[in-house]
Amino acid sequence: MIYEEKTMKSDKLYEGKILNLRVDTVELPDKKYSKREIIEHPGGVAIIPITDNNSLILVKQYRKAAEDFLYELPAGKLELNEEPRETAIRELREETGYEAGKLTYLWEFYTSPGYCNEKIHLFLGENLVEVDAEPEPGEFIEKIEVPIEDLMKMVQRGEIIDSKTIIGIYFAQSFIKNK
């Protein structure tokens, strides 16, 4: 049996700067109807910037939705007509003051597919070169460099709770072991 939901009607409730909200009326496989609240997001990138001494460059910033400071991979939203690679180059420089001599596309993943269509394109940044950081106005970020072993401990202690960052740290650990 196919368990796909067929959209019968879609109502846009909100159009914002970084996301839109719509409510879809869907027909379920049993021919009943239900509503789905969907956040539309243009997607983004996250970069795993790995240094020559097997540390990662992370950013620490206050996130209003979480009401807390979070440790995160450098990341950002795709701009209109911008390719993920361009976004990754821009965000790495803006947030960390680094450029990657080698930038490798890894894969993409949904952040919260139960209610949001946001996809993150994940990149590995190697051969880092320090340049001038170019933070966006209103963006207050602390850059930190942490050895991979310490990052693993931070995840295990619950100090790093951002999903894209946890994915990146586990990838980096495997990458380092297989070098």
Side-chain angles (χ1 to χ4, degrees):
M1 177 177 224
I2 298 175
Y3 293 110
E4 185 176 349
E5 297 178 358
K6 182 177 177 187
T7 302
M8 307 306 289
K9 179 182 173 192
S10 190
D11 295 308
K12 187 100 45 167
L13 299 183
Y14 174 78
E15 290 190 45
K17 190 172 125 181
I18 61 170
L19 61 85
N20 301 326
L21 174 62
R22 73 174 198 260
V23 174
D24 288 354
T25 303
V26 298
E27 182 181 52
L28 303 172
D30 64 1
K31 303 298 181 194
K32 293 182 181 173
Y33 294 89
S34 189
K35 301 256 187 214
R36 300 289 183 249
E37 297 171 350
I38 309 290
I39 294 172
E40 300 172 341
H41 188 281
V45 302
I47 307 98
I48 306 166
I50 189 164
T51 66
D52 293 337
N53 63 351
N54 296 330
S55 292
L56 298 189
I57 307 298
L58 297 185
V59 296
K60 180 181 177 184
Q61 62 184 324
Y62 187 79
R63 293 298 197 173
K64 181 62 181 159
E67 295 285 353
D68 204 355
F69 288 92
L70 299 181
Y71 295 101
E72 299 179 50
L73 292 175
K77 181 176 74 72
L78 290 167
E79 298 298 335
L80 186 63
N81 299 319
E82 187 176 44
E83 290 297 318
R85 179 173 293 282
E86 295 172 60
T87 307
I89 292 167
R90 175 176 50 79
E91 290 294 338
L92 183 61
R93 181 182 197 116
E94 282 179 7
E95 294 190 354
T96 69
Y98 281 98
E99 288 181 352
K102 182 178 180 186
L103 189 64
T104 306
Y105 181 82
L106 299 174
W107 65 80
E108 63 189 46
F109 58 92
Y110 285 104
T111 58
S112 298
Y115 61 88
C116 184
N117 69 355
E118 179 187 26
K119 277 186 186 177
I120 298 288
H121 301 267
L122 189 61
F123 290 84
L124 176 66
E126 299 174 89
N127 305 328
L128 301 179
V129 176
E130 200 159 5
V131 295
D132 290 331
E134 300 172 357
E136 290 185 33
E139 200 169 45
F140 303 96
I141 296 173
E142 179 185 344
K143 174 182 72 173
I144 61 169
E145 182 176 333
V146 185
I148 191 68
E149 303 83 25
D150 293 345
L151 289 171
M152 296 301 296
K153 291 174 188 168
M154 290 173 74
V155 169
Q156 292 162 359
R157 289 191 304 257
E159 295 170 26
I160 296 177
I161 57 175
D162 173 64
S163 61
K164 69 183 174 303
T165 304
I166 294 169
I167 290 168
I169 289 168
Y170 276 90
F171 174 84
Q173 179 195 35
S174 175
F175 176 79
I176 290 166
K177 281 182 180 177
N178 294 318
K179 271 192 190 179

